Amino acid sequence: MKMLIFENAKLVAEAVAVFGILLLFWRHPAMQKARGQLSRFHPVIIAVAALFVVEATAQITTRDQYKYPQKHEPFPFTRWAMFAGFTHSLDSASLYDWRGITAAGQPVEINPAHLFLTTNAVVLFSKTHALGDQLPLDNQPADPAVTRALDAFAEGILVRHNQLHPQQQVIRIELWKRTLPLQPGTVVPAAFAVPGSKRVYTCSPDQP
């Protein structure tokens, strides 16, 4: 009950902040002057304002969009997770992990998001996932374009890691794949541990 009250309080606070900003913008003298000068566009202005209100309301009240399975999905006025709405129809999902190997054969777990300064670390995950999903599972050779892209990505990871961690230099980069069942109560397989995790790619550049 306390949690429900807390969540409702957060929802009300967010709504007050969002709609307060919209109201201040709507009542601003410059906005009032613009509305007076563009009186013939009043229906369009009101329609756009109404759209912002509807979208803001949907984003505030659909917090379950990031939970599985979603309880509400008021398409199309949803959060950015709207395109993930069909994940409940999948039996499993893939997880990918990078690791380096030192000259002494010691494994070093590597997270690309910790190596590169970027405002969108998700793109590093998405790139890994997109390339990893194109690797054959039957030990057949991958498409040359995929291999070249992975080589370039892995070499960048290796060089950047060795620049930031000179005391832990790696000479080889590996990509491992885990399959995660999407059923309630399932356990995430451990990274780099057979049989739950499998190495699907290796890069050993001549000049790290």
Side-chain angles (χ1 to χ4, degrees):
M1 185 63 182
K2 291 183 179 180
M3 187 63 184
L4 180 61
I5 295 175
F6 178 70
E7 288 295 328
N8 289 338
K10 288 200 304 181
L11 187 150
V12 171
E14 185 175 346
V16 169
V18 171
F19 292 121
I21 293 173
L22 289 176
L23 181 61
L24 288 175
F25 174 77
W26 185 259
R27 299 298 300 272
H28 192 277
M31 185 61 184
Q32 292 180 349
K33 181 178 179 181
R35 292 204 308 270
Q37 294 174 343
L38 302 173
S39 58
R40 64 183 183 277
F41 292 110
H42 275 180
V44 176
I45 295 174
I46 293 174
V48 172
L51 176 63
F52 274 105
V53 170
V54 171
E55 287 189 336
T57 301
Q59 296 223 5
I60 291 172
T61 58
T62 57
R63 299 183 183 278
D64 291 317
Q65 281 296 93
Y66 290 112
K67 297 181 180 179
Y68 174 83
Q70 296 104 336
K71 295 180 180 179
H72 309 289
E73 190 170 3
F75 180 86
F77 302 107
T78 64
R79 295 187 155 210
W80 297 117
M82 58 186 292
F83 296 110
F86 295 102
T87 54
H88 63 278
S89 64
L90 302 176
D91 295 327
S92 62
S94 299
L95 300 175
Y96 290 93
D97 306 283
W98 291 97
R99 79 172 182 181
I101 303 297
T102 66
Q106 295 297 317
V108 179
E109 187 171 348
I110 295 177
N111 184 347
H114 293 165
L115 300 180
F116 301 98
L117 181 62
T118 173
T119 57
N120 186 10
V122 176
V123 72
L124 300 172
F125 168 83
S126 300
K127 184 174 183 179
T128 300
H129 199 280
L131 292 172
D133 280 352
Q134 297 182 66
L135 293 172
L137 299 177
D138 52 3
N139 295 322
Q140 296 297 314
D143 185 281
V146 175
T147 301
R148 287 194 299 270
L150 272 171
D151 287 343
F153 193 13
E155 289 177 17
I157 291 175
L158 184 147
V159 171
R160 183 62 174 166
H161 171 83
N162 288 345
Q163 289 174 343
L164 296 178
H165 305 282
Q167 76 288 356
Q168 201 176 42
Q169 299 271 317
V170 299
I171 61 172
R172 187 169 74 247
I173 294 290
E174 299 176 345
L175 180 63
W176 289 64
K177 179 178 182 178
R178 291 180 280 168
T179 300
L180 171 64
L182 294 179
Q183 288 79 37
T186 56
V187 179
V188 179
F192 315 115
V194 179
S197 187
K198 178 182 179 182
R199 186 176 61 191
V200 293
Y201 165 81
T202 301
C203 175
S204 302
D206 296 331
Q207 299 293 330

